[in-house]
């Protein structure tokens, strides 16, 4: 999962997301067909309940509308801004209710929690073999759908000069400006942000503590804003420097181009930190067949390309490149893949260890 690293490398991505980590390369290519019987059963159920899918996150707005038009199945997308932890709580609290979530999209640490708690149903999509082994539960309880790198999204109307490293965030010029997209105890992107900070401050995938210490120091300096950043707060300048996934910052930069300039920076003082989100079907899904069809759709070539259109690397990216399933125009638009080849990805055990350290230390050290 590592490549050559140049300490003074500066990567500012202003177009689409690119490349993929070498360790995430699966062996085979094209998507298999979706069963007509499954489509019929899903339509008979009459709906699909998703949760915590903001329309501007990984292109979920278009993914949802495409699914609805393609299959004639309406989607109720509850609580678009909920965290991964809140998604799991919704499965627990709405068990047996018709409005309970059918599927979730959560960070890896929360996918592990959900599986451990018996919240997910096993299901393997028809393109299962083209999802990298490191991105799926062997029993099919969860599977990665897209991944990206931690970056800085910078509102240049407010910040004026974009920070190029984690060390830069400590400068007085960024007082009160730096934010995560929530608490790392509940939000997957914030969890990854702390992990990324650890890599730049003497930590490792086995030691997230320097990342917690970094944010504690940032808070003492008055640079860390503990409020949960959103796309709106980045564009308005309320949170001018947002530590978030590259695909979210890139998408927001494109969307708000006419209003304000937003730069997306991969920090230069550490190997990039990458991570993926995971799909899972609720064990108590009120629309189990529609849930299966949803998974088949988003893991098909069509669904995976919709993620890529939203600047998120789909799980099957490398397999699709190998099979020639990504349009030439889309490939030509991608910026250099170097940072993605350098990226570090935590293992399941490393993620569990980091999660335990955060639970024990974040609140008392960062006081946020």
């Amino acid at each position: 999962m590592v490549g050559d690293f140049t300490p003074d490398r500066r990567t500012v991505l202003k177009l689409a997301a690119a490349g993929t980590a070498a360790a995430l390369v699966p062996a085979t290519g094209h998507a298999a067909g979706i069963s007509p019987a499954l489509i019929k059963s899903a339509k008979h159920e009459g709906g699909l309940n998703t949760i915590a899918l903001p329309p501007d996150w990984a292109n979920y707005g278009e993914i949802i509308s495409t699914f609805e038009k393609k299959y004639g199945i309406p989607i109720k997308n509850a609580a678009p801004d909920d965290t991964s932890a809140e998604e799991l709580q919704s499965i627990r609290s709405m068990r047996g209710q018709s409005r309970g979530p059918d599927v979730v999209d959560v960070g890896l640490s929360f996918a592990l929690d959900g599986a451990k708690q018996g919240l997910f149903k096993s299901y393997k999509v028809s393109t299962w073999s083209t999802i990298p082994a490191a991105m799926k539960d062997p029993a099919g309880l969860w599977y990665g759908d897209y991944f990206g790198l931690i970056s800085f999204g910078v509102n240049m109307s407010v910040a004026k000069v974009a920070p190029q490293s984690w060390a830069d965030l400590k400068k007085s010029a960024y007082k009160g400006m730096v934010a995560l997209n929530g608490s790392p105890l509940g939000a997957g992107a914030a969890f990854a942000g702390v992990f990324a900070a650890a890599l730049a401050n003497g930590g490792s995938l086995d030691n997230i503590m320097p990342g917690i210490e970094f944010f504690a120091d940032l808070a003492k300096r008055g640079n860390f804003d503990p409020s949960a950043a959103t796309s709106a707060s980045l564009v308005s300048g309320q949170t001018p420097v947002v530590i978030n996934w590259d695909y979210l910052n890139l998408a927001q930069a494109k969307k708000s181009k006419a209003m304000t300039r937003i730069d997306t920076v991969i920090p230069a003082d550490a190997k990039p930190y990458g991570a993926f989100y995971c799909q899972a079907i609720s064990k108590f899904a009120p629309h189990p067949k529609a849930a299966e069809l949803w998974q088949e759709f988003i893991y098909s070539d069509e669904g995976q390309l919709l993620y890529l259109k939203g600047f998120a690397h789909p799980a099957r990216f490398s397999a699709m490149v190998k099979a020639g399933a990504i349009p030439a125009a889309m490939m030509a638009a991608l910026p250099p893949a170097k940072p993605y080849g350098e990226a570090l990805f935590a293992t399941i055990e490393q993620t569990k260890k980091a999660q335990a350290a955060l639970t024990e230390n974040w609140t008392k050290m960062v006081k946020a």
Side-chain angles (χ1 to χ4, degrees):
M1 298 180 186
V2 288
D4 295 332
F5 177 62
T6 305
D8 64 349
R9 175 181 54 82
R10 176 182 297 183
T11 307
V12 182
L13 304 181
K14 296 182 180 178
L15 298 174
T20 188
L24 297 181
V25 178
T28 55
H30 286 295
I34 298 175
S35 163
L38 175 59
I39 296 173
K40 182 178 180 180
S41 296
K43 286 185 174 183
H44 181 72
E45 290 178 342
L48 176 72
N49 296 343
T50 61
I51 185 172
L53 301 182
D56 56 356
W57 180 295
N59 201 29
Y60 266 122
E62 185 174 358
I63 291 172
I64 288 172
S65 64
T66 302
F67 178 87
E68 290 179 318
K69 292 173 184 175
K70 189 178 185 73
Y71 299 111
I73 298 173
I75 290 178
K76 293 180 180 179
N77 183 40
D81 295 320
D82 268 10
T83 64
S84 295
E86 289 169 328
E87 290 184 68
L88 298 186
Q89 180 56 35
S90 292
I91 293 180
R92 291 189 292 264
S93 63
M94 289 190 277
R95 177 177 177 176
Q97 298 182 34
S98 61
R99 64 190 183 95
D102 291 305
V103 292
V104 293
D105 182 14
V106 297
L108 175 58
S109 60
F110 300 96
L112 297 172
D113 276 353
K116 184 178 180 180
Q117 295 169 26
L119 300 180
F120 302 150
K121 165 191 171 182
S122 175
Y123 181 76
K124 296 183 179 182
V125 293
S126 58
T127 54
W128 180 259
S129 65
T130 67
I131 302 172
M135 292 180 73
K136 60 190 177 187
D137 173 64
L141 293 174
W142 55 262
Y143 16 90
D145 44 5
Y146 54 89
F147 67 95
L149 304 184
I150 285 295
S151 68
F152 302 156
V154 187
N155 185 320
M156 298 302 292
S157 297
V158 179
K160 306 303 181 184
V161 177
Q164 299 297 321
S165 67
W166 291 94
D168 282 352
L169 296 182
K170 295 183 178 182
K171 294 179 178 178
S172 59
Y174 302 111
K175 191 172 183 68
M177 291 189 182
V178 184
L180 294 165
N181 83 331
S183 167
L185 300 177
F191 174 89
V194 180
F195 230 146
L199 298 180
N201 290 277
S204 68
L205 294 178
D206 291 305
N207 180 17
I208 199 174
M209 282 303 299
I212 301 173
E213 293 164 357
F214 174 84
F215 278 97
D217 180 59
L218 214 60
K220 287 180 182 177
R221 293 171 185 266
N223 289 18
F224 180 54
D225 179 350
S227 63
T230 63
S231 297
S233 68
L234 174 59
V235 174
S236 70
Q238 181 183 346
T239 55
V241 181
V242 176
I243 300 168
N244 212 340
W245 297 116
D246 56 346
Y247 50 84
L248 297 183
N249 286 329
L250 287 161
Q252 192 55 53
K254 179 180 178 181
K255 182 178 179 181
S256 61
K257 186 177 180 180
M259 295 179 283
T260 188
R261 173 184 159 192
I262 293 175
D263 279 4
T264 302
V265 180
I266 305 297
D269 50 350
K271 291 178 181 177
Y273 179 80
F276 55 90
Y277 277 78
C278 305
Q279 281 285 322
I281 297 176
S282 169
K283 189 175 182 178
F284 316 108
H287 310 100
K289 291 302 179 182
E292 292 177 8
L293 181 60
W294 169 257
Q295 304 295 13
E296 292 289 352
F297 171 69
I298 61 176
Y299 286 93
S300 69
D301 286 0
E302 181 181 7
Q304 295 279 282
L305 287 176
L306 287 172
Y307 280 128
L308 189 58
K309 185 177 179 181
F311 305 101
H313 270 69
R316 298 179 52 246
F317 180 84
S318 293
M320 292 172 67
V321 169
K322 184 177 180 180
I326 298 179
M330 186 174 285
M331 288 297 294
L334 302 180
K338 185 179 179 184
Y340 297 84
E342 296 174 344
L344 298 176
F345 290 76
T347 65
I348 290 174
E349 289 306 315
Q350 288 168 332
T351 299
K352 289 179 179 178
K353 183 178 179 181
Q355 190 176 31
L358 272 168
T359 300
E360 182 179 355
N361 297 291
W362 177 261
T363 302
K364 65 183 181 183
M365 290 180 63
V366 184
K367 296 178 173 46

